[in-house]
Amino acid sequence: MSSEALADIKIQVEAPEYDSGNLHSILSEIKFALEQLLEQKKTHSIDLRAMPWSPGEEDKLEQYLGRGEISVELNALGKSTFYESRFSGIWIVTHYNQEDEIIGKLIEITTMPEMIFSQYEDIKESLENIQIQP
Amino acid sequence: MEIFSTANDFLLWVRGDAFNIALTILIIGVFIRLMEIFLLGRKKDFSEPRGTEWGPGLKNIVTRSVVDNGTFKRAPFVVVVGYIWHICFFIVLLFFVPHIELINAMLGIKWPGLPSQFVDAATVIAMVSLIAMLWHRLTHPVLKFLSTYEDYLVWFVTFLPLLTGYIAFHRMIDPYPLALGLHILSVELLMVVFPFTKLMHAITLFIARWYTGAMMGRKGIES
Amino acid sequence: MNKQTLFELLQQQGITRRGFMKYCTALTSLMALPPSMIPIVANALESARRPSVIWLSFQECTGCTESLTRSHSPTVEGLIFDHISLDYHHTLQAASGDAAEHAREQAMKDNYGKYLVVVDGSIPLGDPGYSTIAGISNLDMLNETVAGAAAVIAVGTCSAYGGLPMADPNPTGAVSVTSLIKDKPVINVPGCPPIPTVITGVLAHYLTFGSIPELDELGRPKVFYGQSIHDRCYRRPFYDKGLFAETFDDEGAKKGWCLYRLGCKGPMTYNACATLKWNQQTSWPVESGHGCLGCSEPNFWDAGSFYKALSIPDGDYAKAAGYAVATGVAVGAAAGFVNRKTKSTAVSQHTKVTVDDFELNKDKK
Ligand code: SF4
Ligand code: SF4
């Protein structure tokens, strides 16, 4: 079943009226990492798949982080999206496979996710392939 | 020798056969003790009493739960710690939801449980008061002189379920089936020892109080 | 065929460095490793070679294979055809009969000492005829195939612990892989079925590092089975507060309270459902409102009703209690009469003390 069809099923998830503590702990981690980035230029990533989310909690986090000024789309082995949240230095990275299923989701605390830069291995290849007279 | 290849096998055994064995011994033991007491009987009373036995008997079961002043003055430590211990013990026994589930499955009655933090605190207090009582027993010359090995056995089998329960609840032993299994096993030990030691007071106290109350309630000459 | 490294293979397919890094990111997450491990995974993958895998299916229901083929990240086709070399799997492979068996033998010969054996299903010891493949009994095939293997992965509770075939009364005399294979490392990946991403995660670990992940005392990789369902359950705050659903449709159930009273075995079950979840991370059993069955634990089929709380004994205690009451009353009655006798003898032998008895003392004074 593709993710699209899944999303088509109109189920309403009621967010439970209690706090599982997940949001608190992840936001603390993000805040700490942001401090480290500012003071020591140290980057950090969090695997969102490794969290024991309760229904609706992950959406709540994304809603809170919101969308900032920049977003990037990558096409390699399927789509990947990168966007900065409304808080500068906090990026949300989602990797999809060729079937458009999510295969990785991370929060990166960095000035720019590493993967957006041109990679030297690829540049080398380009150098070999580029022809002066096309 | 490989009796239990995994912690789960062990848990399965304590929840199955071991529980049945312990329950059987407990029930047989309790009934033997009770039948002994009841069949011993009391002398036939040929005179007609004034007053009844039932009311005062039952009343005495309740009223004797309140300490009388004399006892308190003589042994305040035993009274206070004894009360704390019993109250906390019953909170743990009767208001921890997994325990209620057990009682419900066996007797078909249930009531609301308490949040686990309360039960947890009660467990700690119960354990501390038990340790305090042991310490008191060991340091008080008269008490120490009077203590027999049974007193220490009884202390031990009572303390063990609290300790293992605390460990299981906080998952301090890995894997959990082992922790839970040890807790259930310690309770089964208590069940086995119960009828044959002074732990039996948990039941006989009602009989004793009732007899006393009934005797006091009776007015007139006994013949 | 297996000479190429994985990296070279990906390069040949025209995959860029970015694509490779993305692949590593997904794989790291799949192996339940922290993102800080991505560079290490990338490093290891650059020189990793595709392992040859022989998959044996014994007494099983194919649920584990079904589960595997629903593994999404990276797609199972990708994993199987590009990154491992699945040389024998009699359900998935096109060849059958002699040709299939030949493929197995060939793979064993070519990769002797280096291939991985994946087993799903238990092995019947009662009568070899209960389950055979190409006329070879499961036991023989297992021993023969494992002889040249680097390691064995027991996928599913049946092969890891005996599972359903071994449940009481175990008619086929089923046993687990671990109880038979003692001289090779065995990784248990239990579950009924295991979470698909856990199966691929374990394969990916072997593929990446060429080694066996750290295992717990039941032979399970700690990254996936290190914590209990209960430890990571999002309903845990309700458990702690003492708020429980008592039926599947009461107020508590609707509010998402803890399912302990409805028989949830989460406290004793070690598995990754609460984080990895099922069906593309859509949900997992407890999130859908049903207690955990304990499917990744040995003997879970025999651990009493799925709907009975964990604290309830599962033997026939009512019967035991009944007999005990009867015995207790009988023995108690006997003891009671003996005591009565003792008492009445004592009474009859009792001689009253009179004043005269004290005369002696008086005299002395
Ligand atoms: S639902 Fe199950 S796993 Fe979750 S907290 Fe309750 S008992 Fe534990
Ligand atoms: S929740 Fe429990 S029974 Fe269900 S799949 Fe996970 S481990 Fe197995």
Side-chain angles (χ1 to χ4, degrees):
Chain A
M1 189 192 284
S2 84
S3 46
E4 230 175 32
L6 256 185
D8 283 345
I9 306 173
K10 292 277 174 270
I11 33 167
Q12 210 186 336
V13 182
E14 276 179 53
E17 84 286 15
Y18 73 96
D19 183 13
S20 74
N22 282 330
L23 286 180
H24 181 88
S25 70
I26 205 165
L27 286 170
S28 316
E29 187 177 346
I30 291 173
K31 201 169 166 200
F32 177 74
L34 212 52
E35 266 169 39
Q36 298 256 304
L37 180 65
L38 200 60
E39 287 161 16
Q40 304 167 23
K41 299 204 167 20
K42 243 173 87 181
T43 63
H44 182 68
S45 359
I46 302 166
D47 185 353
L48 288 180
R49 283 167 43 116
M51 295 292 295
W53 298 118
S54 71
E57 221 171 14
E58 202 178 347
D59 295 341
K60 228 166 149 185
L61 176 71
E62 269 174 61
Q63 262 166 36
Y64 174 70
L65 293 178
R67 284 190 91 104
E69 311 170 318
I70 176 168
S71 62
V72 178
E73 197 177 301
L74 167 76
N75 265 302
L77 285 174
K79 191 178 75 176
S80 292
T81 60
F82 303 77
Y83 67 84
E84 197 177 36
S85 73
R86 69 187 163 106
F87 303 100
S88 181
I90 302 174
W91 291 74
I92 288 96
V93 181
T94 316
H95 297 298
Y96 300 83
N97 64 12
Q98 271 109 339
E99 278 92 59
D100 244 3
E101 296 156 353
I102 294 176
I103 58 169
K105 192 158 186 186
L106 305 104
I107 287 187
E108 291 197 28
I109 291 88
T110 176
T111 48
M112 171 134 82
E114 202 57 40
M115 226 179 278
I116 297 179
F117 290 102
S118 297
Q119 312 281 307
Y120 285 105
E121 287 87 343
D122 296 336
I123 297 172
K124 205 174 118 211
E125 194 137 322
S126 307
L127 190 63
E128 283 161 17
N129 292 341
I130 196 162
Q131 286 161 0
I132 303 292
Q133 275 151 345
Chain B
M1 194 174 63
E2 212 179 358
I3 310 177
F4 303 113
S5 48
T6 63
N8 293 62
D9 286 342
F10 169 64
L11 179 62
L12 226 57
W13 179 74
V14 293
R15 285 177 67 206
D17 291 345
F19 185 81
N20 286 349
I21 295 169
L23 187 69
T24 309
I25 296 178
L26 173 76
I27 294 176
I28 293 180
V30 166
F31 270 87
I32 291 177
R33 296 283 308 261
L34 288 181
M35 295 292 282
E36 277 185 314
I37 294 169
F38 290 134
L39 285 179
L40 218 45
R42 288 190 294 163
K43 262 197 234 134
K44 252 216 179 80
D45 186 4
F46 293 109
S47 66
E48 196 174 318
R50 283 181 289 126
T52 59
E53 295 193 323
W54 278 104
L58 292 176
K59 195 174 138 219
N60 197 49
I61 290 179
V62 180
T63 52
R64 281 283 158 111
S65 297
V66 181
V67 225
D68 81 292
N69 227 343
T71 317
F72 184 72
K73 280 206 182 107
R74 254 175 287 125
F77 175 83
V78 176
V79 170
V80 172
V81 179
Y83 265 87
I84 294 177
W85 144 250
H86 278 95
I87 290 169
C88 288
F89 177 74
F90 281 112
I91 289 179
V92 176
L93 179 67
L94 299 177
F95 291 101
F96 187 46
V97 169
H99 297 167
I100 298 175
E101 271 313 300
L102 170 70
I103 295 165
N104 184 26
M106 308 219 33
L107 304 174
I109 42 172
K110 64 175 171 186
W111 49 85
L114 282 175
S116 4
Q117 294 96 307
F118 279 96
V119 179
D120 193 31
T123 312
V124 174
I125 299 171
M127 282 196 289
V128 169
S129 49
L130 264 191
I131 292 170
M133 282 194 281
L134 180 67
W135 176 78
H136 182 64
R137 187 183 280 283
L138 288 171
T139 51
H140 194 292
V142 179
L143 257 183
K144 191 171 180 197
F145 176 73
L146 288 174
S147 299
T148 62
Y149 96 94
E150 191 196 316
D151 294 303
Y152 298 109
L153 174 75
V154 163
W155 185 91
F156 183 69
V157 295
T158 316
F159 186 74
L160 220 51
L162 286 163
L163 182 69
T164 52
Y166 184 81
I167 288 174
F169 177 73
H170 290 278
R171 310 176 80 86
M172 286 151 82
I173 294 182
D174 247 1
Y176 180 75
L178 178 63
L180 181 62
L182 286 174
H183 175 57
I184 298 176
L185 187 67
S186 69
V187 174
E188 285 161 358
L189 185 67
L190 180 70
M191 286 162 73
V192 168
V193 169
F194 181 88
F196 309 109
T197 55
K198 45 178 70 168
L199 286 171
M200 188 67 189
H201 79 274
I203 294 176
T204 48
L205 83 97
F206 296 105
I207 305 169
R209 282 183 188 174
W210 189 83
Y211 273 145
T212 317
M215 278 190 274
M216 292 191 300
R218 188 187 187 286
K219 293 192 181 78
I221 303 162
E222 209 175 331
S223 77
Chain C
M1 166 175 150
N2 297 329
K3 296 284 172 301
Q4 267 176 328
T5 67
L6 183 75
F7 185 60
E8 287 162 356
L9 206 94
L10 288 171
Q11 266 184 333
Q12 266 174 24
Q13 292 169 3
I15 287 161
T16 60
R17 182 74 192 174
R18 279 201 193 101
F20 178 66
M21 288 315 290
K22 172 171 168 175
Y23 180 77
C24 293
T25 307
L27 215 58
T28 308
S29 166
L30 179 69
M31 289 187 275
L33 297 173
S36 55
M37 288 287 286
I38 296 172
I40 297 166
V41 169
N43 227 331
L45 271 184
E46 275 172 14
S47 53
R49 281 167 211 285
R50 306 159 65 209
S52 163
V53 174
I54 297 176
W55 186 302
L56 304 175
S57 298
F58 298 145
Q59 290 195 125
E60 43 81 46
C61 66
T62 314
C64 294
T65 298
E66 288 288 334
S67 177
L68 175 72
T69 55
R70 274 150 192 74
S71 153
H72 292 275
S73 41
T75 59
V76 67
E77 306 87 84
L79 191 84
I80 289 179
F81 298 115
D82 296 343
H83 314 138
I84 63 169
S85 160
L86 187 63
D87 295 325
Y88 176 82
H89 186 306
H90 71 209
T91 313
L92 296 182
Q93 77 193 132
S96 62
D98 277 351
E101 293 315 307
H102 182 69
R104 181 173 63 90
E105 282 152 19
Q106 192 63 43
M108 283 166 61
K109 220 166 76 198
D110 293 347
N111 306 288
Y112 201 83
K114 292 196 293 266
Y115 58 87
L116 269 184
V117 174
V118 178
V119 181
D120 63 340
S122 63
I123 302 100
L125 294 186
D127 183 326
Y130 284 137
S131 171
T132 62
I133 297 161
I136 309 168
S137 78
N138 289 171
L139 181 63
D140 287 346
M141 186 176 277
L142 180 70
N143 285 331
E144 187 188 310
T145 315
V146 166
V152 184
I153 304 180
V155 165
T157 302
C158 296
S159 74
Y161 307 129
L164 181 65
M166 205 181 87
D168 193 41
N170 191 1
T172 62
V175 296
S176 66
V177 170
T178 8
S179 64
L180 294 172
I181 304 299
K182 300 285 179 201
D183 55 344
K184 297 277 165 162
V186 179
I187 309 170
N188 285 334
V189 185
C192 196
I195 304 174
T197 44
V198 172
I199 308 179
T200 43
V202 172
L203 285 170
H205 184 103
Y206 189 81
L207 161 82
T208 312
F209 301 111
S211 68
I212 283 160
E214 201 194 338
L215 307 177
D216 71 0
E217 61 283 349
L218 287 174
R220 304 176 287 203
K222 278 189 177 167
V223 272
F224 298 114
Y225 298 90
Q227 275 170 313
S228 72
I229 298 286
H230 187 66
D231 283 334
R232 311 226 74 183
C233 178
Y234 76 93
R235 296 192 188 218
R236 179 68 179 273
F238 290 124
Y239 174 89
D240 289 334
K241 277 192 206 122
L243 297 173
F244 297 89
E246 292 188 28
T247 64
F248 283 108
D249 58 357
D250 67 359
E251 206 43 41
K254 283 178 193 141
K255 284 188 176 142
W257 290 355
C258 171
L259 302 165
Y260 185 93
R261 291 189 135 167
L262 290 168
C264 181
K265 304 292 183 293
M268 60 159 283
T269 308
Y270 292 78
N271 205 346
C273 304
T275 43
L276 294 186
K277 306 191 178 179
W278 287 80
N279 298 325
Q280 288 175 259
Q281 293 211 291
T282 304
S283 175
W284 63 292
V286 167
E287 189 171 335
S288 331
H290 192 289
C292 168
L293 308 179
C295 78
S296 57
E297 295 295 322
N299 290 325
F300 86 100
W301 291 104
D302 290 328
S305 165
F306 291 149
Y307 301 99
K308 247 190 191 176
L310 188 56
S311 59
I312 301 174
D314 58 34
D316 199 350
Y317 48 82
K319 211 161 104 195
Y323 286 137
V325 171
T327 323
V329 170
V331 179
F337 284 116
V338 172
N339 287 346
R340 227 176 162 158
K341 187 88 192 308
T342 320
K343 184 182 165 193
S344 59
T345 335
V347 169
S348 68
Q349 285 173 352
H350 184 84
T351 42
K352 292 221 166 79
V353 181
T354 62
V355 188
D356 300 337
D357 292 325
F358 294 102
E359 288 302 309
L360 248 163
N361 289 345
K362 251 183 187 172
D363 282 354
K364 263 189 182 166
K365 228 176 184 179

